[in-house]
Amino acid sequence: MNKFMAILLVGTSLTCAAAVTPANANPYEHVLLISVDGLHAVDLANYVATHPKSTMASLQKTGVFYPNAVTTNPSDSFPGLVAQVTGGTPAVTGVYYDDSFDRSYFAADSKCQGNPGTEVNFAESIDIDDTRLDAGGTPGKPMTQIDPTKLPRALVNGECKPVFPHDFVRVNNVFEIVRQHGGRTAWSDKHPAYEWLNGPSGTGVDDFYALEQDSLIPGTKVKTTGSFKAEREFDAAHVKAVINEIKGLDSTGATKQPVPALFGLNLQSVSVGQKLPKAGPGDEAGLIGGYADADGTPNNGLGVQLDYVDHALGELVSALHDNKLEDTTLVVIASKHGQSPIDPSKFQPTDEDPYTKTPGYAFHIADDASLIWLKPEERAKALTAATQYLKDQGKALGIGQLLTSNQVALAYQDPASDTRAPDFIVTVNPGVVYTGGKKIAEHGGNNANDRSVALLLSNPSIQPRAITALVQTTQVAPTILQALGYDPKELQAVQKEATQALPGTPF
C-alpha cells in the first residue's frame, strides 16, 4: 500500500470526465474532509497571497487546487454537504434545503391524519433544547439530542412513524461505503440533525459529534452566531474532537478507538464572519464583518475569522504529523457553500413576505434565493395563478430568474410527481438578501458568490498544481472513495448521475 494520508480542500465543481479507477488500488489509509463554510476560491487565493507562511499556503504548496469549483444549486448547507458525500445533486438525493417540504409527509403532531404535505426542518428546531450547546443531550450520541416528537411523520406499512434525518436522503454515502468495507468513520458538525450522515442504512458514522450552533451564549439571549468569538470557540470544540480521533481516541477523548479511515468536521467561523455586521458579546470593539470591496478584501471581523480557520487547520495538520499520520492521510478542505454578496455595494436587504401570498401557498424558504411549494391538494388549480403572481412580484422580490414547475421538472424532478421538488425556484438579482437587516450576506442561491467555493487536495507527496477546469463538489465523493481504494460506483448517486472523480489527482 502507498502510505499516504491526503488532505482534500473542497468548494464546488462541475462534473468532468475523469477516470474513476485508481492507478494505485489503495492510495491512502485515511481521508480527512474539512468543510470551511463560506470559503470562496478567491478567499483562499487572497489569504495565501497575503499570508505566504500560513497553513493554507503550505497546504496549497503540496496540493491540487481547483479555482473554478462550484457547489450545488441550491447552495444551502444540506445539499452542499450531501453532494460531497453522495456524489449527487438534489435531483437524485431529494435534498434541496435544510428547511424544505415533502408532499407525502405529515406534521409532527398530526398522527398522519388529514392531507399530507408538511415542512421538513432539519436544523436546531428538532433539538431537545436548542438553547443549550449540547442540544439537551450528550454530544457524540445524537439520538439523545433529537426530540422525536418534533419530527415529521410518514406512513410506513400503514404505521405513522417519525422521519429521522438519516431517513431523509434518498441515496447512500461515502461513510456507509467505508463502514461496509470495515473502516471506522467519524464526523463533527453544527447541528445534531447532521446525523443524516448515517445515511439510509442508519449506520454510516461510528462516531458522530455535534454541538448546537444556534444555542445561546451563556448569560445572554444572543446565539453563538451573533459573536465572532463565540463562533470561533464553537469551532474549536469540534477541532478538539477531531484531534482526539487523530490521537486514536473517540471524539470525546474518553476511550481508545482506531483512527478513522474517513473522518472530518465542519467549520463555521468564516461563514459567520461574512454574515455578521458588527461585534457581538465577547468580541473586541470595532470589529466589522463582511468584505471591504468587490475584490474580496476582508474587513477586520472576517479577517479574524480567517486567521482562526488557518490556525485550526494548522492544529489538525500538526496533530497528523505528531501521530505519524501526515503521509498516510488525504486532507480534503471544502465548503458546503459560498456567500453573497462579496461586493458590499451590491447588498440589497429585501422583504420576503410577498411569497406567503402566492396563490395555493404551502411553504417557502428564502435566504438569497427562494423555493416555493404549493399545497398538494390545491396545486392543479392554483399553478397558473401562482406563476403569474410571482412574475408580477418580480421587482419587489428582486427576482432575477423564476424557474416554473415545467423548468424545475427539466432541471430536477417533476413537482407533479416527486414529493420533494419545489413548484418554483427563484434566483435573485446579485446582492438581494431576504433579511430584516441583521445579516449582510447569505447563501442558498445560484449566483456566482453563492456557488464559488474553495477546493484543494493536499498531501506531502503531491506536486502542487492548479486545475482550472470547472468542477462540482459532487465530484468529491467519488474522489474520496478512489483515494481509499474503493469503487466509486458503489455510490448510488454516482451511478445515477455518472459523477466522475476530480481531474488531475495523483491516484
Side-chain angles (χ1 to χ4, degrees), residues 55-105:
T55 301
M56 291 188 207
S58 67
L59 289 171
Q60 189 166 320
K61 289 176 183 177
T62 58
V64 182
F65 175 46
Y66 299 88
N68 292 307
V70 295
T71 191
T72 54
N73 176 29
S75 59
D76 181 54
S77 297
F78 255 40
L81 185 58
V82 169
Q84 293 179 28
V85 301
T86 68
T89 68
V92 299
T93 66
V95 179
Y96 289 83
Y97 233 79
D98 61 359
D99 191 1
S100 60
F101 191 87
D102 189 293
R103 298 177 181 86
S104 67
Y105 291 169

Side-chain angles (χ1 to χ4, degrees), residues 312-354:
L313 294 175
E315 287 188 296
L316 293 166
V317 171
S318 294
L320 292 174
H321 174 78
D322 294 345
N323 290 275
K324 297 180 173 57
L325 297 171
E326 187 176 25
D327 289 338
T328 58
T329 303
L330 177 64
V331 179
V332 180
I333 300 175
S335 178
K336 299 171 184 172
H337 57 79
Q339 210 85 253
S340 181
I342 289 177
D343 184 351
S345 70
K346 300 294 186 183
F347 177 56
Q348 184 180 342
T350 302
D351 182 8
E352 67 181 90
D353 185 64

Side-chain angles (χ1 to χ4, degrees), residues 8 11 19 33 36 55 171 217 243 251 285 295 311 317 330 373 375 379 384 393 421 503:
L8 175 59
L33 174 62
V36 184
T55 301
V171 294
I217 300 170
I243 290 175
S251 58
D295 294 328
H311 170 75
V317 171
L330 177 64
W373 287 264
K375 293 179 181 178
R379 182 181 186 277
T384 300
Q393 293 294 316

Side-chain angles (χ1 to χ4, degrees), residues 231-270:
E231 195 64 32
R232 296 195 302 272
E233 292 173 345
F234 179 81
D235 279 351
H238 292 97
V239 171
K240 182 179 179 181
V242 175
I243 290 175
N244 283 336
E245 293 157 4
I246 291 172
K247 291 179 177 179
L249 303 169
D250 71 352
S251 58
T252 68
T255 62
K256 289 186 177 182
Q257 295 288 350
V259 177
L262 174 59
F263 62 134
L265 77 162
N266 169 251
L267 296 174
Q268 284 287 309
S269 291
V270 169

Side-chain angles (χ1 to χ4, degrees), residues 315-439:
E315 287 188 296
L316 293 166
V317 171
S318 294
L320 292 174
H321 174 78
D322 294 345
N323 290 275
K324 297 180 173 57
L325 297 171
E326 187 176 25
D327 289 338
T328 58
T329 303
L330 177 64
V331 179
V332 180
I333 300 175
S335 178
K336 299 171 184 172
H337 57 79
Q339 210 85 253
S340 181
I342 289 177
D343 184 351
S345 70
K346 300 294 186 183
F347 177 56
Q348 184 180 342
T350 302
D351 182 8
E352 67 181 90
D353 185 64
Y355 284 118
T356 65
K357 298 177 175 62
T358 303
Y361 173 85
F363 176 74
H364 85 284
I365 182 71
D367 286 318
D368 73 336
S370 186
L371 312 182
I372 306 108
W373 287 264
L374 304 181
K375 293 179 181 178
E377 66 274 18
E378 297 182 16
R379 182 181 186 277
K381 291 183 178 180
L383 192 57
T384 300
T387 302
Q388 188 58 52
Y389 172 82
L390 292 170
K391 290 179 178 179
D392 292 343
Q393 293 294 316
K395 184 176 182 180
L397 289 166
I399 295 175
Q401 180 184 29
L402 172 67
L403 287 188
T404 64
S405 288
N406 287 340
Q407 292 168 315
V408 171
L410 291 172
Y412 301 95
Q413 296 287 345
D414 188 350
S417 56
D418 184 80
T419 64
R420 306 270 180 82
D423 288 294
F424 302 95
I425 297 179
V426 166
T427 296
V428 299
N429 295 319
V432 168
V433 175
Y434 295 112
T435 176
K438 295 182 180 180
K439 53 190 174 185

Side-chain angles (χ1 to χ4, degrees), residues 4 8 33 50 56-57 67 111 132 144 220 282 294 319 325 393 399 428 462 486:
F4 293 105
L8 175 59
L33 174 62
T50 56
M56 291 188 207
K111 298 181 180 180
R132 291 173 45 173
T144 70
T220 77
L325 297 171
Q393 293 294 316
I399 295 175
V428 299
I462 295 177
Y486 304 138

Side-chain angles (χ1 to χ4, degrees), residues 1-4 20-28 481-486 505-507:
M1 175 184 289
N2 183 15
K3 303 293 184 180
F4 293 105
V20 296
T21 302
N24 185 326
N26 299 99
Y28 305 101
L481 292 187
Q482 185 170 298
L484 292 170
Y486 304 138
T505 63
F507 49 86

